Amino acid sequence: MATAEVLAPLDQPDDEPSGPRRGKLSPLARYLLTRLALLIPMVWVLVTMVFLLMRVIGDPIQAALGGRLTADQIAERKADAGLDRPILVQYWEYLTGLFRGDFGTTLTDNRKVSDILVQNGAATLELAFWSIIVAFVVGVPLGRLAARYRDRWPDVLLRLFSILVYAAPVFFVGLLLKLAFAPFGWPSSGRASISNELILQDVHPKTNIMIIDAILWGDPAIIGDVLKHALLPALALGLLTGGVFLRLVRVNLLQTLRMDYVTAARARGISERRVMNKHAFRNALVPVVTVMGLQIALLLGGAILTETTFEWKGLGYQLSEYLIKRDFLAVQGIVTLIALIVGAVSFFIDVIVAFVDPRVRF
Amino acid sequence: MRNFRRGTAIIAVTAMAGVALAACGSGKSSDDSASGSGVLVGTTDKVVSIDPAGSYDNGSMTVQTQVYQYLLNFPAGSTELTPDAAESCDFATPTTYVCKIKPGLKFANGNELTASDVAFSFKRIVDIADPSGPSSLLGAMKSVEATDDSTVTFTLNAPNDQTFPQILVTSAGPIVDEETYPADKVLDDDAAVKANGFSGPYTISKYSKNQLAEFKANPDYAGTYGKPKTKTVTMKYYAKPENLKLDIKNKDIDVAFRSLTPTDIADLEKAKGLNVVTGAGGELRYITFNLTTMPGDSAEQKRAIRQAMASSVDRAELAKQVYKDTYTPAYSMVPDGQAGATEAFKDAYGDAPDKAAAEKILSDAGVKTPVTIKLQYNPDHYGSSSDQEYNAVKRQLEASGLFKVDLQSTEWVTYSEEYNADAYPVFQLGWFPDFPDADNYLSPFLAPYDTEKKKSGNFTNSHYNDEATEFADPTMTKLLDDERTDGDKASREATLKKIQDRLASEVPYLPLLTGSQVAIGVDGVKGLQDTLDASFKFRFTSLSK
């Protein structure tokens, strides 16, 4: 991939002094500040687009409450929600609301969007975490295997597998998994069995991240139950990213193996296993971390379908519910939240990459 | 870089350990319903709000039925009102309805339940007037006040309004705690659970909105429903019907109540260890005619076209082919099972398509055939089978050779605006009653109104009994007034029959199907049949296993 071509091997000596110079910011600090500065316009563009798109698709009050209220009542609701004011005034109020952490209130059930984040965001976070693990566990070793057997039948099969899991719609994979596992009693919906969910409501402090709550409760049977419930949704969503990781690791590994320093290592008589493990494989993994940041957005998008398929009541599930009810104020709030999460995660990944790979900060 | 390898190893080991730990369990979770003493109920309904001021929907009503008391209520299997929190209720004068509250009633939080709480509960619904709330149900109420600690007096807009006692059992009727519910806004669900201002047969012990709710029997409850047969009932809320189906099929839950597709229900009927229970139906599916825009050169021709359509549809086929008999043919706007219901359309047009009769009606009125009907239906508001239903209606009408149907569909947001703007000459609508009384199937459709003066009345915009048009019907208006104010059961039912006969003659609406309530229980679950009655209240108190 292009990323790998740009990057030089990490094991090569670094001629540049990496420590901070007196009176100047260190390269790392400069890099992070630049990234942070770029984050602000990115988030601004995102939230502005969400705001404009929600206005383009029509009047949210009419969409949510049309047919249930008279024209006068609709007009009253519009005034209450400030939708009768000039668009610039609405935009200003929307932005200042975001600064205050106010993402608005849903039209159909009067919930604060920030409350939805607290109650449902943790579920999405947990699903994304399990999915990334699946993606790593599936993508990295299989990518390595494919590179090792380049153009032989294991490679061909694995490349085909990666295309299949990437191309297959996540709800379809989810449905297949349910049909395959449910007859054997494997749980196919929810985040834990009903009685365990009830038990975990008593955990203090409650994180809403089911596995952490289960660990805090300390019953191995409940931990096992939570893991069992997470397996199918994590597989459905994780395989999507796993396919990307597989191809990425394969291509990067093949390119790294052709580089001069690897040839030099081989010339020094270092064993092929050591060349692969110590010199090539680690470098091939760096772009995976970068791509992982991009995949977060994909995961959150996929979470809408995965959460609905598996009754995983996270942000994606709530978003689909409000879309069905045409509660566009709720949709606006949740999409803005997701946009902010994607922005924050991108920044976080940039920070990790900067620490892992010193070249990016120069 | 070493950290990378270590990290990957940790992730792999964690995942493998997790799967291994999970696999250590039995094939099913250790804590499935079978091992618990309570009943697990699954539904796809959603709770909009536990607070009665903020909701008017099935999901919220199911919760409210369990946790709030009403002044009057329906005991299992009956549509006769009996006192619940009230000791007695009656008309003191033609326009005042007075209820005496039972002494010693308390909310689960220890606060006393007095007449003041009752008056507060009704007033705040009107004052808050939440768009998702039931304030529209209280249009008959002029005012309400607590005249002393145990007496509530309702002043009504119309004298002897026999439907008002029924309103007290609807979504507008739950009694809330004045000390914990705000007068001017809807209380959010978590706060409502925390406030514990419940005096119904159950309280809510654990609650996660639209995910899980655990109900515990309220030991202090002494109302219409009697002592709960099960101490703990847990409600699980599903996003998709197929997950609900899968869980009831695997017996991970004990009861599935609302809403499985007809195909799913038919499939579950064949499954071992499950019982499909059906009860009285309340939902009505019907065709509405916009009398001003429908085909026909005169009022007589328009009526003839409507009557000919009534002679050409095959309701039994719709029920069987489309809804797998989870719906039954409706031969009146008042469904079978309601007091005063008749089969007026069957009497007038038979129970099967009659081409000769339809042809004669059209010919007598001088209508040229085939008549082109622009028939609109909605694919996203009345269930996913509307598509099949209206394609079948089109086929049936065209099979007579008398009609050519131009079938069109529109999504609900636009649909709800356009049918109110006279855009559709013939169109689909559906109805779920507010309370189990024949009037609730008649007045909302037949009451007089005036579109020019924006006088409220008929909500369908059919222009039937529109006083500003030639379709005003003073006879119907008189009949409706008579039945609403008639306290004598027999003479009221006689009036109801006259209304239904007139409706079948005028055909401003063409009733097609009425939906049965369906619940699926695993073997050993008792009481489902008791709660699927014509009161349309799903009572946990009846359930046991």
Side-chain angles (χ1 to χ4, degrees):
Chain A
M1 301 285 272
T3 333
E5 287 165 17
V6 173
L7 299 177
L10 295 184
D11 288 352
Q12 287 177 336
D14 197 345
D15 294 334
E16 291 271 339
S18 58
R21 292 173 190 165
R22 188 171 293 176
K24 284 187 177 179
L25 287 172
S26 71
L28 178 62
R30 204 166 54 235
Y31 169 79
L32 293 181
L33 279 175
T34 311
R35 288 287 161 193
L36 197 59
L38 284 172
L39 185 65
I40 294 165
M42 185 183 87
V43 167
W44 175 72
V45 169
L46 277 173
V47 297
T48 304
M49 278 177 63
V50 171
F51 175 83
L52 291 175
L53 282 172
M54 286 298 131
R55 296 304 179 279
V56 166
I57 56 175
D59 173 4
I61 306 279
Q62 181 67 46
L65 306 174
R68 292 160 59 191
L69 297 180
T70 63
D72 290 345
Q73 288 170 316
I74 293 276
E76 195 182 319
R77 300 286 165 189
K78 276 187 202 168
D80 288 348
L83 295 173
D84 58 342
R85 279 172 272 184
I87 190 98
L88 282 176
V89 175
Q90 290 182 44
Y91 180 59
W92 175 249
E93 285 178 354
Y94 167 69
L95 283 184
T96 51
L98 291 184
F99 271 108
R100 293 193 308 269
D102 177 6
F103 292 85
T105 304
T106 65
L107 281 171
T108 47
D109 56 3
N110 294 314
R111 289 175 80 190
K112 285 194 168 172
V113 175
S114 49
D115 289 347
I116 296 172
L117 172 68
V118 173
Q119 288 165 12
N120 300 85
T124 300
L125 187 69
E126 189 174 9
L127 179 59
F129 172 74
W130 292 126
S131 305
I132 284 286
I133 287 182
V134 168
F136 262 107
V137 169
V138 171
V140 174
L142 293 185
R144 184 183 156 139
L145 198 66
R148 187 174 173 186
Y149 293 99
R150 183 187 179 185
D151 294 338
R152 288 154 68 185
W153 68 266
D155 179 33
V156 173
L157 280 181
L158 287 170
R159 275 153 59 194
L160 188 65
F161 168 75
S162 72
I163 291 169
L164 272 177
V165 293
Y166 183 70
V170 67
F171 66 88
F172 178 69
V173 175
L175 192 65
L176 286 183
L177 287 170
K178 279 166 71 170
L179 289 173
F181 283 80
F184 301 103
W186 198 275
S188 57
S189 68
R191 296 169 67 196
S193 54
I194 296 172
S195 50
N196 286 339
E197 270 199 63
L198 288 168
I199 289 170
L200 293 179
Q201 292 209 4
D202 291 335
V203 173
H204 290 291
K206 191 166 184 285
T207 63
N208 286 320
I209 296 175
M210 203 62 89
I211 189 64
I212 295 180
D213 289 345
I215 290 167
L216 289 174
W217 188 260
D219 182 343
I222 296 181
I223 297 171
D225 182 48
V226 169
L227 288 171
K228 271 173 82 172
H229 279 78
L231 185 68
L232 297 189
L235 270 177
L237 191 54
L239 283 176
L240 184 76
T241 307
V244 178
F245 283 4
L246 192 159
R247 292 182 74 82
L248 201 62
V249 169
R250 177 187 174 275
V251 169
N252 278 298
L253 196 51
L254 289 175
Q255 285 178 342
T256 311
L257 284 170
R258 281 201 297 266
M259 296 189 97
D260 291 345
Y261 79 99
V262 174
T263 309
R266 282 176 176 145
R268 290 205 301 271
I270 297 171
S271 70
E272 190 59 27
R273 176 188 289 264
R274 190 170 164 78
V275 166
M276 176 73 94
N277 289 345
K278 186 166 172 57
H279 297 272
F281 184 56
R282 291 184 310 179
N283 287 332
L285 280 183
V286 174
V288 173
V289 178
T290 313
V291 171
M292 194 169 75
L294 301 173
Q295 291 298 310
I296 293 294
L298 189 73
L299 283 179
L300 289 172
I304 295 173
L305 293 168
T306 316
E307 288 178 3
T308 313
T309 304
F310 289 99
E311 302 284 341
W312 193 278
K313 307 280 176 69
L315 276 183
Y317 160 78
Q318 277 301 338
L319 184 60
S320 70
E321 287 291 305
Y322 286 120
L323 276 168
I324 289 166
K325 288 193 270 189
R326 297 182 177 79
D327 189 335
F328 293 133
L329 288 188
V331 172
Q332 173 181 284
I334 295 174
V335 172
T336 303
L337 263 174
I338 290 176
L340 291 176
I341 291 169
V342 170
V345 169
S346 299
F347 175 71
F348 183 64
I349 294 292
D350 283 345
V351 173
I352 291 178
V353 171
F355 276 102
V356 170
D357 183 357
R359 290 163 303 174
V360 300
R361 55 188 193 240
F362 289 102
Chain B
M1 278 290 95
R2 188 169 293 154
N3 290 341
F4 247 143
R5 193 163 61 178
R6 198 178 296 151
T8 310
I10 288 169
I11 288 169
V13 168
T14 307
M16 282 190 290
V19 174
L21 192 57
C24 285
S26 57
K28 285 193 171 199
S29 330
S30 57
D31 37 51
D32 283 333
S33 61
S35 63
S37 57
V39 174
L40 298 180
V41 181
T43 184
T44 57
D45 283 347
K46 301 286 181 296
V47 177
V48 172
S49 173
I50 292 175
D51 184 343
S55 58
Y56 181 16
D57 56 278
N58 284 316
S60 306
M61 195 173 80
T62 300
V63 173
Q64 289 159 3
T65 299
Q66 323 310 328
V67 300
Y68 294 111
Q69 256 185 312
Y70 298 69
L71 283 171
L72 304 171
N73 219 328
F74 299 112
S78 167
T79 50
E80 290 294 323
L81 287 171
T82 55
D84 192 7
E87 206 167 50
S88 64
C89 285
D90 212 345
F91 282 94
T93 71
T95 54
T96 52
Y97 191 74
V98 177
C99 291
K100 281 274 180 194
I101 311 297
K102 285 176 186 165
L105 291 178
K106 283 193 171 184
F107 292 102
N109 58 17
N111 295 337
E112 282 186 25
L113 192 162
T114 65
S116 177
D117 292 297
V118 178
F120 170 80
S121 302
F122 286 92
K123 267 185 203 163
R124 70 187 286 272
I125 285 176
V126 176
D127 291 344
I128 294 170
D130 190 272
S132 303
S135 58
S136 59
L137 286 172
L138 295 173
M141 185 184 83
K142 193 173 182 182
S143 65
V144 56
E145 62 175 329
T147 35
D148 61 46
D149 265 3
S150 62
T151 311
V152 188
T153 303
F154 296 92
T155 306
L156 309 183
N157 286 316
N160 291 318
D161 186 344
Q162 297 300 314
T163 62
F164 187 73
Q166 310 272 356
I167 302 283
L168 302 177
V169 197
T170 64
S171 297
I175 301 166
V176 301
D177 178 12
E178 191 175 7
E179 290 178 47
T180 51
Y181 283 67
D184 56 352
K185 64 175 184 180
V186 174
L187 188 64
D188 78 67
D189 284 5
D190 290 331
V193 172
K194 200 173 170 191
N196 205 17
F198 306 129
S199 62
Y202 286 93
T203 60
I204 302 175
S205 46
K206 288 176 184 173
Y207 187 76
S208 180
K209 191 175 177 102
N210 288 328
Q211 296 184 37
L212 271 181
E214 185 186 66
F215 298 83
K216 291 272 185 203
N218 177 3
D220 297 328
Y221 172 75
T224 307
Y225 295 163
K227 194 179 173 190
K229 291 187 173 135
T230 302
K231 282 184 180 171
T232 308
V233 177
T234 303
M235 193 88 173
K236 182 174 181 183
Y237 295 91
Y238 288 82
K240 301 188 88 176
E242 54 262 37
N243 289 327
L244 175 62
K245 179 191 170 188
L246 204 58
D247 275 7
I248 188 73
K249 204 168 184 178
N250 289 340
K251 301 181 181 64
D252 289 337
I253 55 174
D254 301 311
V255 176
F257 175 64
R258 290 174 58 87
S259 296
L260 292 163
T261 65
T263 315
D264 286 343
I265 292 168
D267 186 32
L268 291 171
E269 272 177 335
K270 297 173 203 154
K272 279 186 184 170
L274 295 180
N275 300 304
V276 176
V277 182
T278 54
E283 184 193 348
L284 186 70
R285 304 178 73 89
Y286 59 97
I287 294 174
T288 302
F289 296 92
N290 184 318
L291 304 191
T292 59
T293 59
M294 68 167 289
D297 295 336
S298 63
E300 287 69 33
Q301 284 200 349
K302 289 179 179 190
R303 187 186 302 113
I305 290 169
R306 299 195 299 269
Q307 290 174 340
M309 282 177 69
S311 282
S312 303
V313 291
D314 187 346
R315 296 170 177 85
E317 190 202 57
L318 293 177
K320 188 171 180 60
Q321 299 297 332
V322 180
Y323 290 103
K324 319 290 179 203
D325 289 328
T326 54
Y327 281 75
T328 52
Y331 294 105
S332 167
M333 291 298 277
V334 184
D336 192 26
Q338 295 293 327
T342 67
E343 293 196 319
F345 278 77
K346 193 175 181 177
D347 299 341
Y349 308 102
D351 59 358
D354 187 341
K355 185 183 170 184
E359 203 163 11
K360 183 172 185 312
I361 293 168
L362 292 174
S363 159
D364 289 351
V367 178
K368 287 182 187 168
T369 57
V371 181
T372 300
I373 304 284
K374 286 187 178 173
L375 179 60
Q376 276 281 351
Y377 74 94
N378 169 263
D380 63 334
H381 194 70
Y382 297 113
S384 56
S385 300
S386 293
D387 186 20
Q388 292 174 57
E389 179 185 342
Y390 275 79
N391 272 291
V393 169
K394 172 185 160 79
R395 187 170 33 76
Q396 289 174 3
L397 291 174
E398 290 185 339
S400 70
L402 303 171
F403 299 97
K404 186 170 176 2
V405 178
D406 176 9
L407 189 63
Q408 295 168 358
S409 70
T410 307
E411 295 242 325
W412 181 248
V413 176
T414 312
Y415 195 86
S416 61
E417 281 181 50
E418 291 192 336
Y419 84 71
N420 273 308
D422 294 331
Y424 306 148
V426 186
F427 56 101
Q428 172 199 22
L429 281 179
W431 180 248
F432 197 86
D434 302 307
F435 49 87
D437 185 87
D439 180 76
N440 198 236
Y441 291 93
L442 298 172
S443 285
F445 302 91
L446 308 172
Y449 70 115
D450 186 335
T451 40
E452 286 173 7
K453 293 178 186 167
K454 291 185 178 173
K455 185 179 162 187
S456 63
N458 175 336
F459 81 100
T460 63
N461 202 40
S462 70
H463 293 282
Y464 175 74
N465 217 353
D466 179 349
E467 290 171 345
T469 69
E470 60 182 311
F471 306 107
D473 190 347
T475 309
M476 182 62 88
T477 305
K478 171 82 172 54
L479 287 169
L480 288 171
D481 286 345
D482 288 350
E483 66 86 6
R484 268 200 301 265
T485 55
D486 190 349
D488 182 77
K489 195 178 171 190
S491 71
R492 184 172 186 243
E493 286 185 5
T495 312
L496 287 169
K497 182 177 184 317
K498 284 182 193 167
I499 293 172
Q500 290 167 85
D501 287 344
R502 188 165 182 81
L503 199 149
S505 166
E506 291 294 323
V507 204
Y509 309 98
L510 179 53
L512 294 176
L513 298 165
T514 180
S516 306
Q517 300 179 82
V518 181
I520 293 112
V522 299
D523 277 352
V525 170
K526 296 172 195 158
L528 273 177
Q529 195 68 64
D530 297 334
T531 190
L532 298 183
D533 58 29
S535 71
F536 314 124
K537 294 211 169 193
F538 192 75
R539 305 175 203 85
F540 291 170
T541 43
S542 300
L543 303 179
S544 65
K545 67 169 189 178

